[in-house]
Amino acid sequence: MALNKPYQDIPGTTIFDADQSRKGYWLNQFCMSLMKAANRERFKADERAYLDEWPMTEEQKQGVLTRDLNRCIAAGGNIYFLAKIGATDGKSFQYMAASMTGMTQEEYAAMMLAGGRSPEGNRYIGEQTGAKK
C-alpha cells in the first residue's frame, strides 16, 4: 500500500486507486460478469451460490447480498462496476446513488437539481481545522 495518500483525509470519501483496485479485483470482476444475461439469471436464481463461485472476501459478498454499496466501495468496489448490480435489480443509477447517501431517490434528485451537496464538511479535514497541507 502506498504510504503518501493525502486524499485519505476527505471525510466520507474512498478514492478508487491502485490499492483499492487490487483489493476489489474479484468483486469488480463479478460485477462485470453481470453484463451477460445468462449470468444475471444465474445470480438472480441463487445469489449466494453464484457469489460463492468467485474468490471474493466474505465482506464483499455480504456487501453485495445486502446491496450496501458503501460497504462494497470500502471493500474495493468501483461504482461503475457496482452499477451492474443495480441494473440487474432493475434500479437506476440515481436510485443507487441515493441509497449511498441515506436519502430517498426523490430527495437525492431534488438535492442534485438544487446544485448538489454543500462542500461544507466535505473538504480535506486539514482545511476544516486550519492546518496547511
Side-chain angles (χ1 to χ4, degrees):
M1 181 181 258
L3 298 177
N4 185 16
K5 294 187 176 188
Y7 51 79
Q8 281 189 322
D9 102 357
I10 303 172
T13 301
T14 301
I15 305 296
F16 189 77
D17 61 8
D19 291 325
Q20 283 295 100
S21 177
R22 282 188 291 279
K23 183 178 177 180
Y25 179 81
W26 289 113
L27 169 59
N28 294 317
Q29 290 300 303
F30 150 75
C31 291
M32 291 303 291
S33 79
L34 298 176
M35 292 182 65
K36 294 183 178 180
N39 291 339
R40 289 191 298 273
E41 291 307 314
R42 288 182 52 228
F43 175 63
K44 290 194 287 188
D46 188 341
E47 292 184 4
R48 183 64 203 213
Y50 189 74
L51 286 172
D52 284 342
E53 295 176 20
W54 296 89
M56 296 162 50
T57 67
E58 186 59 29
E59 179 69 13
Q60 291 168 331
K61 291 176 184 181
Q62 287 302 313
V64 172
L65 290 169
T66 60
R67 302 306 194 265
D68 185 339
L69 298 178
N70 290 323
R71 187 175 183 180
C72 288
I73 287 173
N78 178 293
I79 190 58
Y80 297 106
F81 295 135
L82 295 170
K84 309 302 188 255
I85 300 169
T88 297
D89 290 340
K91 305 291 186 189
S92 69
F93 194 85
Q94 185 181 70
Y95 174 90
M96 294 176 63
S99 77
M100 295 170 67
T101 65
M103 297 180 193
T104 66
Q105 185 173 346
E106 294 75 20
E107 291 167 337
Y108 180 81
M111 176 196 64
M112 295 305 288
L113 289 170
R117 189 177 295 225
S118 168
E120 293 305 315
N122 292 309
R123 296 185 175 132
Y124 285 110
I125 293 169
E127 289 178 328
Q128 297 171 25
T129 62
K132 302 234 183 219
K133 286 274 171 194

